[in-house]
Amino acid sequence: MSGRLVHIGSAVVDYVYRIDALPAPGTEKTASSYAQVAGGGFNMMVAATRTGMTVVFGGQLGSGPNGDFLRAAFAAEEIGTLTAPSPHMDSGNCVAMISSDAERTFVSWPGAESVLNLDMMAPVSVAPGDWVFTSGYTLSYPGSRDALADWIEALPENIPFVFDPTPVVSDIPRPILSRVLACSAWLSCNMAEAAEIAGQGDVETLAARLLADHCPRAAGVVIRSAAKGCHVRLADGSARTIAGFKVDAVDTNGAGDTHIGAFVSALARGAHPFEAARYANAAAAISVTRHGGSSAPTDTEIQTFLTQAAATGTPGQNQKAHQTA
């Protein structure tokens, strides 16, 4: 595989509590387990590196215990860091409550990852074959959004830029969001995020509208629908809904990040986008059967899963395809 994934996003420390259900207002719950793990953009980077892509981080880490924890996690996954630690702030954190139905609720506190300027990003360079990624979280921070948008707009045209708007898309000022979408080679989002950008409609309508009205330079868009799979529309008008895989989910935290990381990794080694989406569906399906946000599988695990699915006719083989103008 040539090139790298250059991740210009935010990584935080997740404090994960497992509970049977969210507590009612004014009441207290005792968690069945607790863990401190690397989270945020780390989950997407892990998915890319475990599926064979070289990954480097060009965002900002802190200089306190959270930053030290993240640097150790990066080193364990062989993810390089391109920027110096913030001398003023520690990295932020996120409290994640995972309920018995595998859903999650978050409360976050921004840190060094929320402050990014062009001087900090000076060591971050790209080369032919590289892919660049950022998420809506970094663009939602007042202390980083302008510099990051400027940096993205200055990327060479031959460097594919991938964007995930994330659930905080409504917190991104529309002018900033429009600038970043206009630079995107690939947009990956869920239905709610797609509707926030392009208005209401079914998945086919939203995908077409995202390409026509918001992402004029994009090769395609991916709209993820959790266990149902994803819908992919390409700039040439071809579109396909790639069915998901039925699994017993125990933790959906990080599934979207896993999907994007695996999708980009597959594209980078030359897979057709529809095949890359099926590969990403499998990666996400495996990840939700494991606890932890950075539960992405390896390429070998994904290939084994796909082989078994093909042998048994598991959903994910049944794909709805159509050609549109």
Side-chain angles (χ1 to χ4, degrees):
M1 181 181 294
S2 62
R4 308 167 300 168
L5 172 65
V6 182
H7 191 293
I8 313 294
S10 56
V12 298
V13 176
D14 283 350
Y15 301 106
V16 183
Y17 297 83
R18 301 193 179 281
I19 53 179
D20 58 349
L22 291 177
T27 67
E28 180 177 338
K29 287 275 187 179
T30 299
S32 60
S33 70
Y34 161 78
Q36 179 182 349
V37 298
F42 180 75
N43 299 329
M44 186 272 190
M45 289 184 274
V46 166
T49 192
R50 289 183 184 171
T51 51
M53 202 168 188
T54 298
V55 180
V56 292
F57 181 64
Q60 182 82 167
L61 295 178
S63 54
N66 284 348
D68 292 341
F69 183 87
L70 290 169
R71 275 182 287 277
F74 278 34
E77 294 288 343
E78 299 184 343
I79 297 169
T81 55
L82 302 179
T83 57
S86 168
H88 309 295
M89 303 174 69
D90 196 3
S91 293
N93 65 77
C94 177
V95 173
M97 291 175 285
I98 313 297
S99 51
S100 58
D101 58 0
E103 286 301 328
R104 64 267 196 240
T105 302
F106 304 109
V107 178
S108 61
W109 176 253
E113 72 283 352
S114 68
V115 181
L116 200 62
N117 59 48
L118 292 177
D119 288 340
M120 294 175 186
M121 298 178 69
V124 184
S125 61
V126 295
D130 285 348
W131 291 66
V132 173
F133 171 87
T134 200
S135 79
Y137 285 107
T138 312
L139 290 167
S140 72
Y141 299 132
S144 63
R145 59 172 66 121
D146 294 301
L148 183 54
D150 289 345
W151 189 87
I152 290 168
E153 286 181 327
L155 283 170
E157 290 189 5
N158 64 341
I159 301 296
F161 167 65
V162 182
F163 179 49
D164 172 17
T166 74
V168 300
V169 59
S170 61
D171 296 333
I172 305 171
R174 200 70 185 198
I176 293 287
L177 179 61
S178 296
R179 290 169 60 191
V180 172
L181 289 169
C183 295
S184 299
W186 284 95
L187 173 70
S188 179
C189 58
N190 62 30
M191 276 292 288
E193 294 154 8
E196 179 66 31
I197 296 169
Q200 295 300 314
D202 60 25
V203 69
E204 290 87 357
T205 299
L206 285 177
R209 199 182 296 154
L210 285 168
L211 273 177
D213 299 341
H214 301 277
C215 305
R217 292 171 48 185
V221 298
V222 179
I223 300 180
R224 309 183 309 273
S225 297
K228 295 180 181 179
C230 64
H231 182 78
V232 182
R233 183 180 177 94
L234 306 182
D236 65 6
S238 60
R240 183 173 293 185
T241 298
I242 313 295
F245 297 89
K246 185 177 180 180
V247 295
D248 294 324
V250 298
D251 186 349
T252 58
N253 190 21
D257 297 317
T258 295
H259 193 283
I260 299 168
F263 180 74
V264 173
S265 180
L267 288 179
R269 59 174 175 263
H272 187 278
F274 295 157
E275 186 57 35
R278 183 169 175 268
Y279 181 87
N281 283 356
I286 296 169
S287 76
V288 302
T289 66
R290 303 169 174 177
H291 290 297
S294 53
S295 55
T298 65
D299 176 68
T300 299
E301 290 173 320
I302 297 169
Q303 298 296 352
T304 299
F305 181 92
L306 288 170
T307 299
Q308 292 172 346
T312 60
T314 301
Q317 289 294 99
N318 303 321
Q319 299 174 359
K320 172 187 172 186
H322 58 275
Q323 187 81 19
T324 54

